[in-house]
Amino acid sequence: MTRLSRSKMTRTLGFNAGRRGPDKYPRLTDRVGDFAFAVTSFDDAVDTVVSAARSHTGIPIRLSNAYCVSLATREPDYAAVLGGDGVTYPDGAPVAWCLRRLGNPNAERVRGPSLFTAVLDRGREAGLGHFFLGATDHTLDALAAEASRRFPGVRIADRHAPPFGPLTEDFYDDATRRIASAGADIVWVGMGTPKQDIAAAELARRTGLPVVGVGAAFDFVAGTVREAPSWIQRSGFEWLYRLAAEPRRLWRRYLVGNSHFAVIAARSLRTNR
């Protein structure tokens, strides 16, 4: 397939995949496996999230890595979420690398924890109210304290650590009520994959706000889990650092998930060559 014909496969994708609401925030996308990822810069992603919060655009925002793609190919319910309404950014060097190899040289990694802190910083100017959902009370207390220390004037509308368990109607009702009463402008969910993305899709619909799944960002900022040094983050081997730090919990995600993703990526590159 020629580069010209390949370029016709990329498309402009609005926040609601063109199905609901105005296409206010078009995003060039390309597919890795069966899933569309935003082709963008990190700074543009920050601008997009801040704009969505300021305008109260109800949109789920996913930060998906190689493991997410691998998992979605094996779990149809998660595939429906990852391929549904919303914006999916490449959080993970392998996904961004694959996008560049597909003919998108400007595709950058949008690292979840970095996006989280950048929006906390930028959101001060607009007075954005942030709601933190997930983790534990201890982590959320430490997170709020550290966020306030790093970003004086940041407005934390509220925070809530729900009981561990499935995503039930009671969970959604309670979370929606808390978010509404807090007067939040954006919701951050730290519950792990795939739970946080499933919750974000439903809460964005119910609250009319941008809801972002940010994985380990709460723990990194709170200091309950050690974050990789910045040079390792830039190297593309942050996953190896995290695997070494928590091998028992993460070995399947990174060794099995990354191996499966390599097969998916190779197929995407071969199909679109």
Side-chain angles (χ1 to χ4, degrees), residues 100-139:
R100 290 192 293 272
R101 289 296 299 270
L102 285 167
N104 303 289
N106 296 320
E108 292 183 8
R109 179 189 183 193
V110 181
R111 182 175 176 271
S114 300
L115 180 74
F116 176 54
T117 54
V119 174
L120 289 179
D121 185 12
R122 283 275 310 280
R124 291 182 292 175
E125 182 180 349
L128 297 183
H130 303 268
F131 191 101
F132 303 150
L133 179 66
T136 65
D137 288 327
H138 169 73
T139 296

Side-chain angles (χ1 to χ4, degrees), residues 25-229:
Y25 301 95
R27 189 68 55 223
L28 183 67
T29 68
D30 209 344
R31 305 188 79 82
V32 177
D34 295 328
F35 308 106
F37 282 83
V39 177
T40 186
S41 69
F42 177 82
D43 288 342
D44 188 59
V46 174
D47 289 342
T48 298
V49 175
V50 170
S51 295
R54 294 183 68 172
S55 61
H56 284 198
T57 301
I59 175 74
I61 298 172
R62 296 173 288 270
L63 297 151
S64 301
N65 55 25
Y67 173 72
C68 299
V69 175
S70 172
L71 184 64
T73 62
R74 293 178 279 114
E75 295 191 4
D77 289 346
Y78 185 41
V81 171
L82 199 60
D85 288 352
V87 175
T88 305
Y89 288 114
D91 176 6
V95 179
W97 173 86
C98 189
L99 288 170
R100 290 192 293 272
R101 289 296 299 270
L102 285 167
N104 303 289
N106 296 320
E108 292 183 8
R109 179 189 183 193
V110 181
R111 182 175 176 271
S114 300
L115 180 74
F116 176 54
T117 54
V119 174
L120 289 179
D121 185 12
R122 283 275 310 280
R124 291 182 292 175
E125 182 180 349
L128 297 183
H130 303 268
F131 191 101
F132 303 150
L133 179 66
T136 65
D137 288 327
H138 169 73
T139 296
L140 292 183
D141 289 345
L143 169 62
E146 179 61 13
S148 297
R149 186 191 70 79
R150 284 197 208 178
F151 310 110
V154 67
R155 185 164 74 87
I156 299 170
D158 204 352
R159 55 190 186 268
H160 175 54
F164 180 79
L167 298 171
T168 64
E169 187 63 25
D170 286 343
F171 163 81
Y172 287 119
D173 285 345
D174 181 55
T176 301
R177 177 183 56 79
R178 289 173 183 269
I179 293 164
S181 64
D185 299 302
I186 184 169
V187 181
W188 303 93
V189 185
M191 293 180 172
T193 302
K195 189 175 181 181
Q196 65 188 15
D197 293 331
I198 297 169
E202 181 63 18
L203 288 172
R205 184 184 70 81
R206 295 190 183 209
T207 65
L209 299 174
V211 184
V212 192
V214 286
F218 288 1
D219 287 310
F220 289 161
V221 176
T224 54
V225 172
R226 180 174 294 180
E227 189 170 12

